[in-house]
Amino acid sequence: SPEEVKSYPATIKVYTRTGDKGTSALFTGERRGKDDAVFEALGATDELSSMLGLAVAHLEDHHHEGKPETEKATAVLVKRLEIIQCLLQDVGSNVATPVGSKSQAKVKRTRFDVDGHHCANLEAWVDEMSPELPVHRSFILPSGGLAAATLHVARTVCRRAERSLVPLLDDIDSETFAFVNRLSDFLFVAARWTAKMHGATEKIYVHHQGRVTEFDK
């Protein structure tokens, strides 16, 4: 509420010095080494959100250079990426609150996508964009302009975030892992879609001997 905001100090110190000995706190208050699997996963999702922010910046730079219909479609993608950035914060809260923690109130507070709504949204967005894309019969190299290439980088960071969650599968909601898994699919399609919207050419893998590998051969 506005009253609560007014009660906050004018400045909040960024540094706390509590991590100077190599530990950090989970949402439950439990302290673990900064090399713990939880913090590896939190770092990966944070990096992913930062990469999405960079992709949004490139998309917005390109926003006023295209046709009105392209600008409108790009604005929709930007909004979706910003939604995903917020959801990644929720993913982090779930990761930072192991389901077996004593503080079940905090566990309940940080449950993620219990009804599968967010994962279903990603699938719907993929299904919406996919028909507009040319069929790819060869491996696609990260390419297609700054925004598209940045989305490809985000996709690879997302895959790393997914791998970092595997050791934590017993400590997080199953929907958290499913969401991150589906997110990489969305980012692949979003990268291809962005290249197409911007009229950029996607580069494909060519064997060093000059052969083009096609999936249907």
Side-chain angles (χ1 to χ4, degrees), residues 24-213:
S24 192
L26 304 183
F27 182 54
T28 59
E30 176 191 353
R31 297 198 70 83
R32 296 187 185 183
K34 292 189 177 184
D35 57 354
D36 189 88
V38 167
F39 297 116
E40 184 66 31
L42 291 174
T45 54
D46 184 27
E47 183 181 349
L48 173 55
S49 183
S50 298
M51 191 57 63
L52 293 179
L54 181 59
V56 166
H58 287 314
L59 286 165
E60 290 179 333
D61 282 346
H62 208 289
H63 184 63
H64 301 293
E65 300 175 12
K67 300 176 181 179
E69 59 270 24
T70 300
E71 291 186 6
K72 183 178 180 180
T74 299
V76 171
L77 177 58
V78 165
K79 180 61 178 177
R80 289 173 177 177
L81 292 174
E82 291 172 344
I83 289 171
I84 290 168
Q85 284 183 292
C86 292
L87 290 174
L88 286 172
Q89 292 293 117
D90 297 332
V91 165
S93 295
N94 185 249
V95 170
T97 315
V99 294
S101 300
K102 292 181 180 179
S103 178
Q104 284 302 300
K106 288 186 175 181
V107 171
K108 184 177 180 180
R109 178 178 169 186
T110 56
R111 294 294 305 276
F112 181 79
D113 201 19
V114 291
D115 59 359
H117 171 75
H118 300 312
C119 197
N121 270 347
L122 289 177
E123 293 174 353
W125 295 345
V126 167
D127 292 342
E128 176 187 312
M129 291 187 293
S130 294
E132 300 183 40
L133 304 178
V135 176
H136 66 288
R137 293 191 173 88
S138 301
F139 291 107
I140 295 172
L141 303 179
S143 55
L146 273 175
T150 303
L151 286 168
H152 275 295
V153 177
R155 169 183 58 81
T156 64
V157 175
C158 187
R159 284 298 190 196
R160 174 152 50 81
E162 179 186 357
R163 294 192 296 273
S164 74
L165 290 175
V166 173
L168 304 172
L169 286 177
D170 292 336
D171 293 324
I172 63 176
D173 291 333
S174 60
E175 294 83 3
T176 297
F177 187 79
F179 176 82
V180 175
N181 182 27
R182 208 71 77 254
L183 178 54
S184 61
D185 298 327
F186 167 77
L187 292 173
F188 175 72
V189 173
R192 297 200 64 217
W193 181 90
T194 297
K196 182 177 183 295
M197 288 296 104
H198 292 173
T201 300
E202 292 180 297
K203 298 179 181 179
I204 64 171
Y205 161 71
V206 178
H207 190 272
H208 68 276
Q209 293 181 342
R211 299 194 305 272
V212 176
T213 302

